[in-house]
């Protein structure tokens, strides 16, 4: 019996279900409007319209046209069974696919008008892919325990559409996918959809099966590893005897009690052991706690080496490996003497050896450690930018580790080593913190007895560690850090000292490294070593000298291996063959007899240098032109020099007004090298005076010192390095401020002997000596 689509039908909204034509479905109904719709249908030919809800969670439909799909099924109610709780179970038989036209809520339930779906699939439709779908569904059903009788029933159906509608409920797909089968217009489309859905389901289940297999394999592997590790532990317990049967936390606790830890550390480690007992040994947190406890157990806590404080041995060790440096050695001897008298390193000053590269700062600290028979550890601070390098990382970070000082104690295997803080002036700061500030606690005798590392979380005693730092430039050390250090300056070596160092230390070491026999296969005279220093090395230390001499010895080693004949003595001709043309000229002094040229002196981080200053006067408007990459302080010194010269020109019969008509050009070679500082004030003043008076200044006279606007000569630093540079360049006379007289007394004997040194309080004292003054015109 067909439906009369001209009338209105009751509608039953379905949640999470789709009823297809030519199928029967049992549904539990409980909503009031659905019960009313069923009651109306029973009284009116059992005809009802079934439509699926878009959202299964909606209880009350606010806008039925939007909340329901637009395609439904006309069905008949065949059986209604009530339940005591008010719900009913109804059997519905799908008849025909329909399109919704209108919906009206009346008498407590939905009334709808519908029409047959225009593009509905005809009941007698056929598709050539029907057998393929049936075959694929049989494979699909076999893996999901679907009754074979149900599958066979599909094979026996002549109506293909009826078979397809019967397959859809067995597919594990969403409500929207099931609804799409009602809306399809051909069996071919339905065939493709069914095959695609079965393929997707198959792929998803394969992935799930593979994941489950991997999980089972991993669990089996973990169980196997645990079983093997447990057997190993049991065997180890049998070997340990007393520790038999003890768990790993118990064994760690026993080791902790055997150490001489402070109560604070013991309490901290016991808390960590308690946490380990509550964790699985395979968990990552267990490994973190185990690593933390291991760091304490591997520290040489309570282990102190016996210090040998034999003054003669210390002096012998220093003299055997370092030539010269008498003041430095004397300060180290004083340091050792105080340690011997007090018997403790607590509150001892922290030495900082400051000097140019290559003068032996690092090897000097190694000699101290060897003489005292203390374990030695070197910490390189050059380029350190992260505060965590000093204080360590907090344990909340993955891969956290203690700072460098904890690592150093572990390497030293004692709590009182000598730690060398190398290149302490090369530390930098950025967004990760300021490591120099973190060093304040380490180097403060009042605080380092309770140094707290972020990783260790408890205080450690560093007061018995002997810290010695090295630096190239004192000015680069942060002020707060420099306040905790006692600066010991290492000057550059003089030529006679380098000769001794080369013959006693460098050449034997080089020949030992290269396999060349000294004196038998190669020998260097003093003249040849001096030639190397003048032509190929200009430095405060001896590092470049060692490399250059080793270059010569390597050439001799090649000649030995090739079987060439030679004499052991190295000649000047051979020197140039091995090293090429000299890199430096014999003299850096300006040519004599030129007014407006004066020899100054400069200090750099690698030693002293000659600083020629040139001045040229040009007709103009009184402008001052300064070239040579000069800094602000040096430019200000030039301004002061102009004022001093202008005020003194009348003494030479020169009208001071000429300065307003003259452009003054001051140049300091080398132009590409930055220069700054006030110590060229005297030299600038004399250079300008020489240019205006046309009286030349001898180039073998060097000047250094600051000059004030009143003409007073003020003290400068770095005199030792400047005197060394002057002596190497061929300077005969050195004129300094009187305030540097104390520094002159401390210069080594060769500098005093090779240089005539004069000190002056006022610039006029030097002017009277170098320039012939005329009486001023009336």
């Amino acid at each position: 019996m067909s439906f009369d689509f001209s009338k209105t039908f009751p509608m039953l909204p379905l949640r999470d279900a789709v009823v297809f034509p030519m199928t029967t479905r049992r549904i539990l109904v409980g909503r009031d409007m659905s019960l009313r719709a069923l009651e109306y249908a029973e009284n009116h030919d059992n005809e009802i319209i079934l439509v699926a809800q878009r959202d299964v969670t909606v209880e009350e439909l606010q806008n039925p046209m939007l909340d329901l799909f637009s395609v439904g099924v006309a069905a008949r109610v065949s059986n209604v069974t009530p339940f005591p709780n008010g719900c009913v179970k109804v059997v519905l038989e799908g008849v025909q696919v329909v399109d919704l036209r209108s919906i009206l809520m009346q008498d407590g339930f939905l009334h709808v008008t519908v029409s047959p779906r225009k593009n509905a699939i005809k009941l007698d439709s056929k598709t050539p892919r029907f057998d393929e779908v049936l075959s694929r569904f049989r494979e699909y059903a076999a893996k999901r325990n679907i009754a074979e009788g149900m599958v066979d029933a599909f094979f026996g159906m002549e109506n293909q559409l009826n078979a397809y509608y019967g397959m859809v409920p067995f597919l594990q797909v969403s409500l929207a996918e099931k609804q799409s089968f009602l809306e399809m217009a051909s069996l071919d489309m339905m065939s493709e959809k069914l095959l695609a859905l079965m393929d997707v389901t198959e792929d998803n289940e394969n992935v799930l099966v593979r994941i489950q297999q991997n999980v089972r394999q991993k669990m089996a592997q973990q169980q196997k590893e645990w079983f093997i590790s447990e057997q190993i532990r049991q065997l180890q317990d049998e070997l340990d005897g007393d520790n038999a049967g003890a768990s790993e936390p118990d064994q760690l606790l026993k080791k902790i009690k055997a150490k001489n830890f402070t109560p604070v550390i013991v309490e901290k480690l016991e808390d960590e052991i308690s946490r380990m007992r509550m964790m699985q040994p395979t968990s990552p947190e267990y490994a973190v706690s185990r690593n933390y406890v291991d760091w304490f157990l591997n520290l040489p806590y309570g282990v102190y080496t016996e210090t040998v404080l034999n003054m003669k041995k210390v002096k012998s060790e220093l003299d055997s490996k370092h030539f010269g440096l008498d003041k430095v050695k004397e300060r180290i001897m004083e340091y050792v003497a105080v340690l011997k008298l007090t018997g403790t390193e607590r509150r001892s000053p922290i030495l900082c050896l400051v000097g140019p590269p290559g003068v032996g700062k690092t090897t000097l600290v190694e000699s101290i450690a060897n003489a005292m028979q203390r374990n030695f550890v070197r910490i390189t601070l050059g380029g350190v930018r992260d505060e965590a390098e000093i204080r360590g990382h907090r344990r909340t970070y993955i891969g956290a580790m203690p700072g460098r000082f904890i690592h150093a104690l572990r390497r030293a295997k004692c709590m009182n080593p000598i730690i060398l803080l190398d290149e302490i002036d090369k530390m930098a700061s950025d967004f990760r913190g300021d490591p120099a500030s973190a060093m304040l606690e380490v180097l403060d005798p009042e605080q380092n007895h309770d140094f707290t590392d972020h990783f260790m979380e408890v205080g450690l005693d560093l007061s018995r560690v002997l810290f010695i730092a090295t630096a190239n430039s004192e000015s680069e050390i942060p002020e707060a850090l420099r306040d905790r250090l006692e600066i010991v300056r290492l000057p550059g070596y003089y030529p006679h000292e380098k000769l001794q160092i080369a013959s006693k230390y460098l050449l034997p070491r080089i020949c030992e490294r290269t396999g060349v026999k000294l004196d038998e296969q190669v020998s260097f005279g003093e003249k040849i070593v001096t030639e190397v220093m003048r032509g190929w090395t200009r430095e405060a230390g001896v590092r470049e000298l060692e490399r250059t001499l080793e270059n010569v010895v390597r050439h001799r080693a090649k000649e030995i291996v090739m079987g060439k004949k030679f004499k052991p003595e190295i000649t000047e001709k051979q020197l140039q063959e091995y090293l090429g043309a000299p890199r430096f000229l014999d003299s850096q002094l300006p040519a004599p007899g030129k007014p407006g040229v004066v020899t100054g002196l400069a200090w750099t981080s690698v030693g002293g240098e000659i600083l020629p200053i040139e001045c040229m006067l040009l007709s103009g408007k009184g402008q001052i032109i300064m070239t040579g990459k000069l800094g602000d302080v040096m430019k200000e010194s030039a301004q002061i020099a102009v004022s001093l010269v202008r005020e003194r020109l009348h003494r030479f019969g020169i009208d001071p007004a000429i300065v307003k008509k003259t452009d003054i050009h001051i140049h300091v070679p080398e132009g590409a090298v930055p220069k700054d500082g006030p110590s060229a004030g005297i030299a600038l003043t004399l250079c300008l005076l020489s240019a205006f008076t046309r009286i030349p200044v001898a180039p073998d006279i060097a000047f250094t010192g600051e000059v004030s606007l009143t003409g007073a000569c003020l003290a400068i630093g770095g005199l030792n390095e400047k005197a060394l540079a002057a002596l190497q360049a061929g300077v005969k006379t050195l004129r300094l401020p009187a305030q540097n007289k104390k520094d002159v007394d401390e210069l080594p004997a060769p500098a005093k002997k090779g240089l005539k040194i004069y000190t002056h309080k006022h610039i006029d004292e030097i002017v009277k000596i170098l320039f012939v003054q005329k009486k001023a015109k009336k």
Side-chain angles (χ1 to χ4, degrees), residues 343-416:
T344 179
E345 299 86 353
R346 297 180 188 275
R347 300 185 60 82
S348 59
I350 295 167
L351 302 181
C352 180
L353 308 181
V354 177
V359 296
K361 300 183 294 296
T362 303
T363 55
L364 197 63
V365 181
E366 292 179 1
S367 299
I368 297 171
N370 292 335
M372 298 173 66
Q373 295 185 9
R374 291 271 285 269
N375 295 356
F376 173 74
V377 182
R378 179 169 172 258
I379 297 178
T380 304
L381 298 175
V384 173
R385 295 175 177 271
D386 192 351
E387 181 186 351
E389 292 282 336
I390 307 300
R391 288 191 173 276
H393 303 81
R394 299 190 184 277
R395 286 198 291 152
T396 52
Y397 296 102
I398 297 174
M401 294 184 69
R404 294 197 178 194
F405 289 95
I406 304 301
H407 282 272
L409 292 177
R410 185 174 178 175
R411 294 200 311 271
K413 299 180 180 179
C414 69
M415 297 297 288
N416 64 335

Side-chain angles (χ1 to χ4, degrees), residues 59-353:
E59 181 70 24
E60 296 183 5
L61 302 177
Q62 302 295 331
N63 190 341
M65 289 300 291
L66 296 178
D67 294 339
L68 299 171
F69 287 104
S70 60
V71 178
V73 173
R76 297 188 184 280
V77 180
S78 63
N79 188 16
V80 177
T81 305
F83 285 92
N85 60 359
C87 297
V88 297
K89 183 170 71 174
V90 58
V91 178
L92 300 170
E93 297 177 358
V95 177
Q96 186 177 356
V97 182
V98 295
D99 291 324
L100 300 186
R101 293 169 57 191
S102 65
I103 302 176
L104 176 66
M105 174 66 77
Q106 187 176 353
D107 300 328
F109 64 94
L110 296 174
H111 297 257
V112 297
T113 59
V114 297
S115 62
R117 184 160 178 80
K118 294 180 180 180
N119 298 326
I121 304 172
K122 295 181 179 180
L123 296 178
D124 57 351
S125 298
K126 302 290 183 179
T127 175
R129 306 190 67 180
F130 182 65
D131 292 337
E132 181 184 355
V133 175
L134 288 177
S135 177
R136 185 73 182 84
F137 185 76
R138 182 180 291 278
E139 296 175 3
Y140 179 86
K143 296 179 180 180
R144 287 158 186 82
N145 297 325
I146 298 175
E148 292 185 6
M150 183 66 68
V151 179
D152 293 338
F154 294 146
F155 275 84
M157 290 182 180
E158 294 183 2
N159 190 322
Q160 296 182 2
L161 180 61
N162 191 11
Y164 280 177
Y165 281 148
M167 294 179 190
V168 173
F170 293 99
L171 300 180
Q172 298 175 359
V173 295
S174 64
L175 181 67
E177 294 284 1
K178 293 177 180 178
Q179 176 69 24
S180 67
F181 283 96
L182 283 180
E183 301 174 3
M184 288 183 181
S186 69
L187 278 181
D188 291 333
M189 292 175 59
M190 196 174 290
S191 299
E192 292 178 4
K193 185 76 170 179
L194 284 169
L195 291 172
L197 289 175
M198 286 188 285
D199 288 339
V200 170
T201 304
E202 185 75 19
D203 291 341
N204 291 340
E205 291 183 350
N206 289 338
V207 171
L208 183 60
V209 170
R210 188 167 64 251
I211 292 174
Q212 291 175 346
Q213 289 177 347
N214 292 338
V215 170
R216 284 196 296 268
Q217 290 176 359
K218 188 173 182 180
M219 292 179 64
Q221 181 66 23
Q222 289 180 347
Q223 187 175 9
K224 177 182 175 182
E225 291 175 356
W226 176 86
F227 181 73
I228 294 174
S229 62
E230 186 65 19
Q231 285 184 322
I232 293 173
R233 190 184 69 81
Q234 292 291 341
L235 292 172
Q236 187 64 43
D237 290 343
E238 290 294 331
L239 292 175
D240 292 342
D242 294 340
N243 291 329
S247 63
E248 186 178 41
D250 291 333
Q251 294 178 13
L252 292 174
L253 193 60
K254 187 174 181 179
K255 292 179 181 179
I256 291 169
K257 292 180 179 178
K259 288 274 189 176
N260 191 22
F261 289 129
T262 61
V264 175
I265 296 177
V266 171
E267 182 180 357
K268 179 69 177 176
L269 294 180
E270 286 179 347
D271 290 343
E272 204 67 30
I273 295 293
S274 299
R275 291 181 65 246
M276 290 174 63
R277 294 183 191 277
M278 295 185 290
M279 293 184 287
Q280 292 293 331
T282 56
S283 68
E285 290 82 3
Y286 186 92
V288 171
S289 296
R290 173 62 192 267
N291 180 49
Y292 178 72
V293 175
D294 283 343
W295 265 103
F296 276 97
L297 294 177
N298 290 328
L299 272 182
Y301 202 87
V303 178
Y304 296 93
T305 58
E306 192 71 25
T307 303
V308 177
L309 298 174
N310 189 323
M311 300 292 289
K312 292 183 179 180
K313 184 175 181 180
V314 173
K315 189 175 188 308
S316 174
E317 181 74 22
L318 294 176
D319 290 338
S320 66
K321 295 185 178 179
H322 298 84
F323 182 83
L325 305 177
D326 296 330
K327 288 187 63 177
V328 179
K329 292 178 181 177
E330 188 65 27
R331 179 63 188 89
I332 293 172
M333 295 295 292
E334 294 171 2
Y335 188 79
V336 174
V338 172
L339 287 179
K340 186 175 181 66
L341 291 176
T342 58
T344 179
E345 299 86 353
R346 297 180 188 275
R347 300 185 60 82
S348 59
I350 295 167
L351 302 181
C352 180
L353 308 181

